[in-house]
Amino acid sequence: MKPMEQLGVGIGWRPEIADAVERLPGLDWVEVVAENICADHLPDSLVRLRERGVRVVPHGVSLGIGGADRPDPAKLAALGERAVALGAPLVTEHIAFVRTSSPALEAGHLLPVPRTRDALDVLCENVRIAQDALPVPLALENIAALFSWPDEELTEGQFLTELVERTGVRLLIDVANLHTNRVNRGEDPAAVLDAIPLEALAYVHVAGGVEKGGVWHDTHAHPVPPVVLDLLAGLRSRVDPPGVLLERDDDFPPEPELAAELTAIRAVPAAAPEPEAEPKAGPGVPPVPGPGVPSEPGVDEAVRTRVGLGQAALLSALVAGTPVPEGFDRPRIRVQARALAAKRAGVVAKVAPELPGILGGSGPYREAFLSYAKGRPMTGGYRRDALDFAEHLLVRDLPADPAARRRLTAWWRERAGIRPPRRIVRWARTLVGRAA
């Protein structure tokens, strides 16, 4: 495996802190959420950073490469276009599933794949499809999780190691996620770091979170705790990572606090380099392949079906209120379901900021949205969800205040656009009489 390009220390670029990011001293690179930018119209801030020589890496969140379905060619093409537009040395995504096709459901969140042979076979084929479609190398991130799958066959370290050995994909190791999984799933971060092929490391994520009721929530909205910096130190005692990046997605602190967090990350000591060792292969696992990873036979459709059925049953329990599949920790699944609904409400409020105002503030908006979400799982993106939420209220003669209802009707009409005939008729008949 070729050595990874050195990136240095960076931060996640977000529009809310774009000006502050440009002023941060000694910034080597930034990471941008791929779905938040357009390849043909990059934000001015990113253009200026690139002109200064700051590297930019697109980080995807919606591919769902761990899902039972093969990767969407359109999503892969869009990810590749962003990489080219940014002059990126690589693109990154997550070892997760985010949707199912039968039934059509969206999680709006990264969910863990089962660490089984079936799921690994599907993931490896999906990774190969993505690698063939992308113009730059791909790296995949370990995710944080609130729960474990029953009857898993591999540890996290074994799963990641075999993924690398079979595909040649690089790893993005999030040490905050290692801590999350230690609290939530009882997994030992040191055992993961000892098991995985660190020569495949692309870079490292560092982020903050918070513990509530014995559950660690990977919020990216809190300062990086010492325990996460300790994990970074543990990783750096094993290998000097090509890059380290601070993630912050909400409740952004003042600029000096961001700079101080980057300073703390830079201060984590690195171990003296050791002679490079030959990568080891576990029992029954082929050695790490060199250039030109040999192809494997395609995954049998029965395997994809089995993985798909399991993921659909879980996702349906999380977002549609169906029974929790046998073997899962039911209280943890309920915690995850509440977290998904709350995140969904928050993102819709950002996508459609007019809605809380129309509904009388964040409290009434949140109450109405969570009530809607109980019976209406998300089947498309957040913009579609915002329109569906408005429609849900209007057909029930809500909000109760006539003036607010007129405002919501006008908001919906301005954004709904062309709809399939069956639904146009349905909503038009409801709305025409109401607006008169």
Side-chain angles (χ1 to χ4, degrees):
M1 185 174 285
K2 294 181 180 179
M4 175 64 199
E5 180 176 339
Q6 293 296 311
L7 294 170
V9 175
I11 192 169
W13 183 93
R14 303 294 183 263
E16 298 90 339
I17 54 171
D19 292 341
V21 167
E22 289 190 61
R23 291 189 293 265
L24 288 171
L27 187 67
D28 298 313
W29 67 293
V30 299
E31 181 191 77
V32 59
V33 176
E35 290 81 356
N36 289 351
I37 62 170
C38 296
D40 57 355
H41 189 66
L42 297 176
D44 291 341
S45 174
L46 287 180
V47 173
R48 289 191 294 269
L49 287 169
R50 287 193 62 216
E51 289 172 347
R52 282 169 37 190
V54 175
R55 304 304 300 266
V56 183
V57 173
H59 184 54
V61 297
S62 68
L63 187 59
I65 201 166
D69 294 325
R70 291 174 176 81
D72 183 343
K75 290 184 181 295
L76 286 173
L79 189 57
E81 288 167 1
R82 288 160 173 80
V84 171
L86 294 167
L90 78 164
V91 297
T92 59
E93 249 288 353
H94 299 82
I95 302 171
F97 80 100
V98 299
R99 66 182 61 85
T100 58
S101 59
S102 182
L105 295 172
E106 290 278 345
H109 188 72
L110 303 165
L111 296 176
V113 301
R115 290 177 300 211
T116 62
R117 289 287 170 192
D118 279 356
L120 181 59
D121 288 346
V122 169
L123 175 62
C124 287
E125 184 172 82
N126 288 351
V127 167
R128 290 175 180 278
I129 292 169
Q131 289 171 319
D132 288 344
L134 292 169
V136 294
L138 172 67
L140 294 178
E141 179 180 350
N142 61 306
I143 71 162
L146 286 174
F147 60 88
S148 297
W149 283 76
D151 302 322
E152 292 190 313
E153 299 166 325
L154 300 165
T155 66
E156 179 80 346
Q158 290 169 336
F159 193 86
L160 295 178
T161 297
E162 191 164 341
L163 171 65
V164 171
E165 291 173 344
R166 290 172 59 177
T167 67
V169 75
R170 293 188 181 276
L171 295 177
L172 192 181
I173 294 300
D174 189 317
V175 291
N177 291 351
L178 293 179
H179 174 64
T180 301
N181 294 340
R182 170 167 55 192
V183 175
N184 295 347
R185 304 203 288 186
E187 296 174 356
D188 181 7
V192 177
L193 294 177
D194 285 342
I196 62 176
L198 291 174
E199 67 275 9
L201 186 63
Y203 59 89
V204 178
H205 274 173
V206 178
V210 63
E211 186 171 352
K212 295 180 181 178
V215 174
W216 186 270
H217 297 271
D218 181 46
T219 64
H220 295 190
H222 293 80
V224 177
V227 67
V228 171
L229 290 178
D230 288 345
L231 287 178
L232 176 62
L235 186 150
R236 295 203 71 187
S237 72
R238 294 165 170 83
V239 67
D240 191 18
V244 182
L245 183 122
L246 170 66
E247 287 189 295
R248 190 72 180 241
D249 293 326
D250 209 347
D251 289 342
F252 298 102
E255 191 174 326
E257 290 185 30
L258 287 176
E261 289 211 289
L262 289 175
T263 298
I265 289 170
R266 291 188 184 97
V268 174
E274 297 181 359
E276 188 171 331
E278 287 295 322
K280 57 183 181 297
V285 177
V288 177
V293 179
S295 61
E296 294 181 344
V299 175
D300 189 287
E301 289 305 312
V303 173
R304 286 191 179 272
T305 298
R306 287 196 297 270
V307 172
L309 288 173
Q311 291 179 348
L314 172 62
L315 185 51
S316 183
L318 288 170
V319 303
T322 59
V324 177
E326 195 67 32
F328 282 95
D329 183 327
R330 284 175 168 76
R332 283 295 175 90
I333 296 300
R334 288 194 291 270
V335 171
Q336 182 71 85
R338 290 194 295 270
L340 291 180
K343 178 181 179 180
R344 186 177 162 192
V347 176
V348 167
K350 289 183 178 180
V351 168
E354 304 86 356
L355 291 178
I358 292 172
L359 297 179
S362 59
Y365 159 78
R366 184 181 177 85
E367 181 180 355
F369 189 91
L370 292 179
S371 176
Y372 150 81
K374 287 180 182 178
R376 293 287 299 272
M378 187 164 63
T379 57
Y382 286 108
R383 288 178 175 80
R384 177 73 266 155
D385 205 23
L387 285 171
D388 287 346
F389 171 52
E391 293 167 352
H392 168 86
L393 295 177
L394 290 172
V395 297
R396 287 161 178 76
D397 287 325
L398 296 172
D401 176 56
R405 197 160 61 245
R406 285 193 295 271
R407 289 175 61 199
L408 186 60
T409 300
W411 180 91
W412 177 84
R413 282 177 166 167
E414 288 172 2
R415 291 160 180 80
I418 297 174
R419 307 270 292 175
R422 182 179 64 83
R423 297 197 69 182
I424 284 181
V425 172
R426 177 184 173 189
W427 297 119
R429 286 176 178 171
T430 303
L431 296 174
V432 166
R434 178 178 301 123

